[in-house]
Amino acid sequence: MTLALLLVAVVVVGGAVAVGLGRLAGGLEEPTTSRPLRALPDRRLSADDIDRVRFSLGLRGYRMDEVDAALDRVRDEVAERDARLAELEAQVRAARPAEPPWSEAGDGGVAAAEGDVDASAERSR
């Protein structure tokens, strides 16, 4: 009697495992979630994108405090780099003249430069 119950238990457990793994027809459907996935966007990231990302919990989960600390650090560094990049771009725009100095001459400054060379050559004669 005990042997028969043990055999039935093994068959039931084996069948459940086979169905769960998809080895038998009528297996489990793909898992669904009731919350929307909020992953990183497919464009250049900003600090706000990192604030909005959320991870789904799996069977074993994750240490939320560690992930949150890592995301906080990444967000702060991205925000700092974005601010520094904007500052450097503003400095470059401020340092760059609106027009090159040689464009003031009608011919692009080439004739004026050649004229200066010709005039200095005649003075040396």
Side-chain angles (χ1 to χ4, degrees), residues 21-51:
L21 294 175
R23 303 271 187 221
L24 296 176
L28 300 176
E29 295 179 15
E30 291 296 319
T32 59
T33 181
S34 61
R35 68 180 260 201
L37 175 64
R38 290 190 290 177
L40 294 174
D42 291 336
R43 59 177 164 71
R44 189 172 183 171
L45 294 178
S46 69
D48 291 333
D49 294 330
I50 296 170
D51 279 337

Side-chain angles (χ1 to χ4, degrees), residues 63-108:
R63 295 271 322 246
M64 290 193 307
D65 59 335
E66 292 175 0
V67 173
D68 290 342
L71 288 175
D72 288 344
R73 179 177 172 198
V74 170
R75 182 205 52 230
D76 293 344
E77 287 188 19
V78 167
E80 181 181 321
R81 287 184 184 141
D82 286 347
R84 180 70 177 140
L85 181 62
E87 177 185 326
L88 291 173
E89 287 175 343
Q91 289 176 2
V92 166
R93 279 192 299 274
R96 185 180 303 153
E99 289 187 27
W102 59 83
S103 67
E104 293 174 8
D107 56 11

